[in-house]
Amino acid sequence: MPVPVPHPRTAVLPHQAGPADSGCAETARAAAVGMPAHGGCSGAGPLPRDLPAAELPRPVVDGRTAARPPADHAPGATTEPVTSATSEAPAAEFSSVAAVEPRPEPPAQGLTLLLIGEDPNSHVPEMWDWAGRKVRLRTARNLTEAERLLTDDVHCILLDLTPAEPTGREDRDPARGDGTGGRGGDELAALRAVLRMAPAQAVLVLTCETDAERAAEAVRVGAQDYLFRDELDGKVLSRAVRYAVERKRADLAQRQLTESRLRAQENARLERGLLPTPLLDGSELRFAACYRPGRSRALLGGDFYDTVRTPDGTVHAMIGDVCGHGPDEAALGVELRIAWRALTFAGLYGDELLATLQKVLENERSDDEIFATLCTVDISEDGHRAGVCLAGHPAPLLARAGEQPELLPYEFGGPALGLLPEARWPRRQVELGAAWSLLMYTDGLIEGRIGEGTARLGQDGMTELVARQMASGLTGDELLEAAVREVRALNGGELTDDVAVLLLDRR
């Protein structure tokens, strides 16, 4: 059986207008159902109609479009089908007045307007969006029907405000599902209800010219614009709808930008609070640190470090790196740092401390593949000796007074945390001397490229770089900033990995 296919220019005859709920999401109307002439509006009548006479859908028979019957065609009469020369040629349009030139078929998707008013059988002018596509129209008699018709593809809502009536008379308010309203209620209750129901859609109000003050109040309440029935035509309505939609989009974008900025500020405050505060009161050691997360616009990455002094006078330092660069890895790094501090104050160190940290990692990580490298150092109260434990982490750089910086041996280290359930991490004793500097770092400092090639800086290149900076007299924060700045310059730009560098020295 042939399936009727509506023509893009098909309009709905006034006597064929269906009920309000016929404006479903799948139906695009060429002629819109408009608003009634209210008795309270001076000179108000039906909204302007600039549509041509209505056209009926034409059936498709065997893949060909049938001719439209003449205006005086009687029911039951037959008509011979007429086909075009090619299947791509558009069929001629007919109207009750005269044939017009066929309009190119616009894209299927365009603006959708939801009209809320008491009489859905009045017409509004034909409208087109900025891309030449016909604006699709849906109609609802009240907010109950409007809520059912309000889908994500609705861009704008046109709300017909009933005329303001003297006190003591009953207001007919579309906000009430039965259209009866209440006495002495809010004149803009319908608008407020629409704004709550459709926070993402643009809203226009339609009112009488005598209600100009109430129309302006509607804009202050939240509508994008207002229109007067007496001055309404197709161009005015099209322009108003397009303006309202764009203004709503701009408002939503600005709101999202503001919310993003507020969230960024809150995240920044949170991340600053999660960065460690060294606890070295009573120690003669000097501390410096440099931290640069690899994530853009972030203050915290997967690298972590901390330094504390326990009641026995021992200074404990730690630096670590969780694999990955996202916020989950950063959060896990904070958990490990806080756990390390708590365990250190509890008297654990070396292999016992790292074994406990591995249990924390195994229970807190989101995936079994996640691991963390770690380097811990405990420095005796006199500052002459240190115990070093490595868990898959690069060995620290030690610079004794009058000597060239050198890397501590790596061979005695154990695996990264989270790789082997029964791993062990031996603690190696290191003689520091009377004056020294100990540099602890993550792999982000040594994995940067050198120039245009694929060569990496590596530990040897980092050792040479730091030795040159020390020879120039740089110490503390200045030394770390200069080292990281030179590493970035050698890389040809920002480093993609997190970088954490910690420096302890005794002079």
Side-chain angles (χ1 to χ4, degrees), residues 368-444:
D368 291 342
E369 301 297 324
I370 293 178
F371 62 91
T373 64
L374 200 70
C375 172
T376 66
V377 175
D378 55 275
I379 303 171
S380 62
E381 184 178 7
D382 61 9
H384 287 225
R385 292 172 305 279
V388 181
C389 286
L390 295 177
H393 200 85
L397 181 68
L398 176 63
R400 298 182 178 91
E403 299 181 11
Q404 287 292 318
E406 61 177 1
L407 293 169
L408 295 180
Y410 177 80
E411 291 77 12
F412 62 88
L417 302 181
L419 293 183
L420 301 177
E422 302 296 333
R424 289 293 178 261
W425 299 271
R427 177 175 173 270
R428 182 185 180 96
Q429 191 76 14
V430 177
E431 291 294 330
L432 300 178
W436 48 265
S437 295
L438 184 67
L439 184 72
M440 304 168 66
Y441 54 92
T442 57
D443 57 6

Side-chain angles (χ1 to χ4, degrees), residues 200-496:
Q201 280 77 20
V203 177
L204 292 172
V205 295
L206 189 64
T207 184
C208 300
E209 189 171 1
T210 56
D211 280 344
E213 183 176 350
R214 187 168 61 141
E217 178 64 21
V219 174
R220 288 191 290 269
V221 168
Q224 269 63 54
D225 204 349
Y226 63 86
L227 298 169
F228 294 138
R229 299 187 191 90
D230 303 335
E231 301 176 355
L232 195 64
D233 60 25
K235 291 183 179 180
V236 171
L237 184 57
S238 296
R239 183 170 61 250
V241 169
R242 284 180 283 179
Y243 166 77
V245 170
E246 292 303 323
R247 180 178 176 182
K248 185 65 177 182
R249 288 175 178 170
D251 291 344
L252 291 176
Q254 182 62 38
R255 183 181 305 172
Q256 292 172 356
L257 178 60
T258 302
E259 292 174 353
S260 297
R261 287 174 176 171
L262 291 176
R263 283 196 299 269
Q265 292 173 1
E266 292 175 358
N267 291 339
R269 288 193 294 268
L270 176 62
E271 291 180 348
R272 289 191 189 100
L274 294 175
L275 289 174
T277 301
L279 300 179
L280 293 175
D281 294 341
S283 173
E284 62 181 1
L285 301 183
R286 295 188 301 179
F287 169 86
C290 180
Y291 192 91
R292 292 179 181 271
R295 291 185 297 138
S296 61
R297 298 185 297 276
L299 296 177
L300 200 63
D303 292 2
F304 54 98
Y305 67 90
D306 203 352
T307 305
V308 298
R309 183 174 184 264
T310 51
D312 62 359
T314 303
V315 172
H316 302 262
M318 172 270 292
I319 193 166
D321 183 4
V322 178
C323 64
H325 311 288
D328 292 338
E329 290 76 12
L332 182 57
V334 172
E335 292 181 83
L336 293 176
R337 180 185 67 78
I338 295 174
W340 175 88
R341 176 175 283 199
L343 294 172
T344 300
F345 279 124
L348 276 67
Y349 63 94
D351 181 77
E352 186 179 9
L353 185 149
L354 291 176
T356 308
L357 276 183
Q358 174 160 277
K359 293 180 180 178
V360 174
L361 172 65
E362 290 172 347
N363 285 279
E364 296 297 332
R365 61 186 177 183
S366 58
D367 190 286
D368 291 342
E369 301 297 324
I370 293 178
F371 62 91
T373 64
L374 200 70
C375 172
T376 66
V377 175
D378 55 275
I379 303 171
S380 62
E381 184 178 7
D382 61 9
H384 287 225
R385 292 172 305 279
V388 181
C389 286
L390 295 177
H393 200 85
L397 181 68
L398 176 63
R400 298 182 178 91
E403 299 181 11
Q404 287 292 318
E406 61 177 1
L407 293 169
L408 295 180
Y410 177 80
E411 291 77 12
F412 62 88
L417 302 181
L419 293 183
L420 301 177
E422 302 296 333
R424 289 293 178 261
W425 299 271
R427 177 175 173 270
R428 182 185 180 96
Q429 191 76 14
V430 177
E431 291 294 330
L432 300 178
W436 48 265
S437 295
L438 184 67
L439 184 72
M440 304 168 66
Y441 54 92
T442 57
D443 57 6
L445 186 68
I446 60 177
E447 290 185 349
R449 298 182 182 276
I450 303 177
E452 300 294 335
T454 59
R456 305 283 182 172
L457 177 63
Q459 288 180 291
D460 292 338
M462 183 269 299
T463 300
E464 180 183 349
L465 183 152
V466 172
R468 186 170 62 254
Q469 300 285 1
M470 286 183 172
S472 65
L474 296 180
T475 60
D477 292 324
E478 293 182 353
L479 171 63
L480 299 186
E481 291 291 342
V484 172
R485 185 166 54 249
E486 185 171 347
V487 170
R488 289 175 55 203
L490 292 173
N491 187 62
E494 287 291 342
L495 300 169
T496 58

